[in-house]
Amino acid sequence: MQTGAITPYIDVAQLVLYAFWIFFFGLVFYLQRESKREGYPLVTGHKGERLEGFPFLPTPKTFILPDGTTKSVPWNEPIEVINARSSAPWDGAPIIPLGNPMLDGIGPASYTQRSTHPEMMPEGEVRIAPLRVATDHWVAAEDPDPRGAPVICCDGVIGGTVVDIWIDRADQMPLWLEASVASDPARRVMFPIALCRVIANSNPFDNAWVSFGSIVSGSRGTAGLPRSASGVSVKLASVTAAQFAIAPPIAMPDIITPREEDRLMAYFASGHLYATPQRSEPLL
């Protein structure tokens, strides 16, 4: 027999090939199971039905998070009940909202059930905070300061007045604007600055606008003091003034959680479809 042959029909090279096939199958099987730690078991349109698929779900694994809390995955997430009905009796048919889809989290207003704990900096500070808390940050002198400026909604009505800017300390950029509602000054509304235009001229209804996005950090000096908002206004084209007034609130005045961020972003972004009947209906 030739070198390496075990029998006239089996040799070492053949055994190594078979061993590789078995290893590779086991690797793919393991990776496919591990990929099911998020989003599984699947929830279908049939009440109470959950699908695992093949291969079966992995054994739950518990992770220790930086704040000391634990998270076990996979886990049976609670099934959400949406305020809508199916437009047809088969799976995958479009759903028809029964109430206010912007508040009910339907379609473009849907959001992820993220953590209810705020994101933290490595030093222990809350990552996203208003300038009244993050006193070592301020608006760059080259940019218009929207604090004190009116918020003009898509119907041309002033929905409120900006009272503060919320920043991301890690990226040193503004993420949210906080405003007092015009119809109820005691009520505060958070809305994403990414959906706004901060206008730095005297006519808030003019199309000319200046982008706002520079945040400076360091020792607070005279540059950190709020500048006058005279001639500055904020245009929010996604919602009406009435919808602005009923935006979902945050639980704590100086802290926003990832789940609240997702819900607020979904609420205001969905206004591009749901704010008016004309937006949600076909053009022809």
Side-chain angles (χ1 to χ4, degrees):
M1 293 187 293
Q2 298 177 353
T3 302
I6 298 175
T7 72
Y9 305 101
I10 299 177
D11 57 18
V12 174
Q14 190 174 11
L15 291 179
V16 171
L17 177 62
Y18 291 161
F20 172 76
W21 285 349
I22 294 172
F23 164 78
F24 192 75
F25 174 82
L27 177 64
V28 172
F29 185 82
Y30 168 78
L31 293 177
Q32 186 65 21
R33 287 189 67 198
E34 288 299 307
S35 71
K36 292 188 172 185
R37 291 196 180 276
E38 294 288 344
Y40 284 85
L42 294 174
V43 177
T44 70
H46 302 284
K47 187 176 181 180
E49 183 181 41
R50 292 179 182 267
L51 300 178
E52 293 188 9
F54 179 83
F56 48 86
L57 295 181
T59 304
K61 183 184 295 183
T62 301
F63 296 89
I64 302 176
L65 304 181
D67 60 357
T69 60
T70 59
K71 170 79 172 179
S72 295
V73 289
W75 66 296
N76 287 330
E77 299 183 24
I79 298 178
E80 298 180 53
V81 179
I82 60 174
N83 188 25
R85 64 176 178 85
S86 177
S87 60
W90 53 79
D91 291 340
I95 58 175
I96 300 175
L98 299 178
N100 185 341
M102 296 174 65
L103 289 174
D104 293 338
I106 295 175
S110 59
Y111 58 96
T112 304
Q113 299 291 342
R114 296 178 64 196
S115 172
T116 56
H117 301 283
E119 293 183 278
M120 307 298 290
M121 295 285 287
E123 299 81 7
E125 297 178 312
V126 176
R127 177 173 176 174
I128 300 174
L131 287 183
R132 62 178 176 267
V133 174
T135 55
D136 56 342
H137 294 71
W138 61 86
V139 180
E142 297 80 8
D143 284 337
D145 192 331
R147 285 173 288 185
V151 181
I152 302 172
C153 300
C154 67
D155 53 359
V157 178
I158 295 177
T161 302
V162 177
V163 297
D164 211 342
I165 306 166
W166 289 57
I167 64 165
D168 184 335
R169 282 176 161 139
D171 294 332
Q172 294 190 16
M173 63 179 293
L175 292 183
W176 301 89
L177 294 180
E178 180 182 356
S180 61
V181 177
S183 58
D184 183 9
R187 174 174 165 77
R188 299 295 176 89
V189 167
M190 299 277 292
F191 58 103
I193 198 169
L195 296 179
C196 303
R197 286 184 173 181
V198 179
I199 306 168
N201 57 33
S202 58
N203 182 6
F205 299 98
D206 193 350
N207 289 327
W209 62 283
V210 177
S211 63
F212 167 71
S214 299
I215 289 290
V216 179
S217 65
S219 299
R220 183 178 176 89
T222 57
L225 299 176
R227 299 189 298 276
S228 172
S230 176
V232 179
S233 58
V234 177
K235 292 182 71 174
L236 181 61
S238 61
V239 297
T240 65
Q243 292 163 343
F244 182 84
I246 62 173
I250 60 176
M252 293 171 282
D254 294 332
I255 294 176
I256 186 169
T257 66
R259 182 176 299 189
E260 291 170 336
E261 285 191 89
D262 266 21
R263 187 181 185 189
L264 283 167
M265 181 63 76
Y267 177 84
F268 284 100
S270 68
H272 288 287
L273 177 66
Y274 292 139
T276 63
Q278 292 79 10
R279 292 182 178 182
S280 57
E281 295 296 331
L283 295 177
L284 299 177

